[in-house]
């Protein structure tokens, strides 16, 4: 079964600083990768996804992610964060066998003034 | 306004009691999913259904049951056999096609009295 690993459980960062949230996936012939955001006590909202084509994927709220096949990574980046970006971020991979998403353990982004 | 609704927002369970969490979608999606969220563990798949009248166990199905009698509804019952039910429960739906986005409801928080 496919899986994803999020290497950091918490990432503190100052407002207007850049941030990178790391995600590595288990290797597969074809892979579909997703990043979701969750604000406190809410459901998940899609930030962006990679299906094929360009390895740099742009999403909502100024986020982008780069698919790197050789390093089996799909790191999420934002050049300048805001207080409102404080949330939990989940990386996920499409499991072709179950036709469902498998999620990583999440990274809590804490933006400080 | 299309989306996924979950009710109730908070649910309290007494010892030995079965409780049912509601999930309804009006997105005309074939596939529906239930996830359990615990701090630091990400989202774990409980049950999923790709089509009406059919469903499969996920990674942590023990102590839970589901039904899928209608396309738009996928209720989850937490039985008395689930010894540690306190968690945030998230319902999602998608077309079920490879790489398609899963859309999430707002979640139900289950607490044990």
């Amino acid at each position: 079964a496919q899986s994803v690993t999020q290497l950091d459980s918490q990432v503190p960062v100052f407002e207007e600083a850049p941030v990178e949230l790391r995600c590595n996936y288990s290797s597969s012939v074809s892979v579909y990768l997703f990043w979701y955001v969750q604000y406190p006590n809410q459901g998940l909202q899609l930030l962006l996804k990679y299906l094929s084509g360009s390895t740099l994927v742009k999403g909502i709220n100024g986020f982008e992610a780069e698919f790197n096949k050789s390093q089996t990574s799909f790191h999420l980046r934002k050049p300048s964060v805001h207080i409102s970006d404080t949330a939990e971020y989940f990386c996920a991979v499409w499991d072709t066998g179950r036709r469902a998403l498998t999620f990583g353990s999440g990274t809590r982004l804490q933006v400080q003034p | 306004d299309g989306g996924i609704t979950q009710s109730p927002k908070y649910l309290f369970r007494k010892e030995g009691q079965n409780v049912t969490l509601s999930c309804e979608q009006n997105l005309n999606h074939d596939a529906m999913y239930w996830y359990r969220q615990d701090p630091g563990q990400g989202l774990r798949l409980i049950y999923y259904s790709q089509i009406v009248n059919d469903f499969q166990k996920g990674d942590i199905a023990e102590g839970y049951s589901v039904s899928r009698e209608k396309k738009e509804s996928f209720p989850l019952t937490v039985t008395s056999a689930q010894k540690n039910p306190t968690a945030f429960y998230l319902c999602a739906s998608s077309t079920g096609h490879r790489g398609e986005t899963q859309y999430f409801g707002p979640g139900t928080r289950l607490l044990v009295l």
Side-chain angles (χ1 to χ4, degrees), chain A residues 30 32 34 36 38 41-46 49 51 88 90 94 96-106, chain B residues 9 33 35 37 40-43 45 48 50 58-59 88 90 96-106 109:
Chain A
S30 63
Y32 303 100
F34 300 72
Y36 280 83
Q38 183 183 35
N41 295 312
Q42 294 185 26
L44 276 66
Q45 178 184 4
L46 179 72
K49 64 182 179 182
L51 302 181
E88 188 144 24
F90 292 95
W94 176 256
T96 52
R98 298 194 298 190
R99 290 159 61 196
L101 289 178
T102 297
F103 286 84
S105 56
Chain B
K9 190 176 174 71
Y33 314 85
Y35 291 90
Q37 185 177 15
Q41 296 194 48
L43 279 71
L45 187 63
Y48 60 104
Q50 298 294 344
D59 299 316
F88 193 51
L90 288 158
H97 299 150
R98 187 172 57 179
E100 286 294 317
T101 300
Q102 278 183 204
Y103 296 87
F104 283 81
R109 188 166 297 279

Side-chain angles (χ1 to χ4, degrees), chain B residues 31-47:
Chain B
M32 297 186 74
Y33 314 85
W34 274 106
Y35 291 90
R36 170 177 170 143
Q37 185 177 15
D38 296 280
Q41 296 194 48
L43 279 71
R44 293 181 290 168
L45 187 63
I46 306 173
Y47 269 98

Side-chain angles (χ1 to χ4, degrees), chain A residues 41-99:
Chain A
N41 295 312
Q42 294 185 26
L44 276 66
Q45 178 184 4
L46 179 72
L47 275 176
L48 49 80
K49 64 182 179 182
Y50 173 78
L51 302 181
S52 64
S54 173
T55 57
L56 184 63
V57 182
K58 292 192 182 296
I60 63 170
N61 301 341
F63 284 93
E64 62 182 31
E66 184 155 20
F67 173 68
N68 188 319
K69 191 173 182 178
S70 62
Q71 298 190 10
T72 61
S73 68
F74 189 55
H75 299 335
L76 182 71
R77 302 185 183 106
K78 187 169 183 178
S80 176
V81 294
H82 303 290
I83 295 286
S84 58
D85 292 322
T86 295
E88 188 144 24
Y89 292 80
F90 292 95
C91 183
V93 63
W94 176 256
D95 184 320
T96 52
R98 298 194 298 190
R99 290 159 61 196

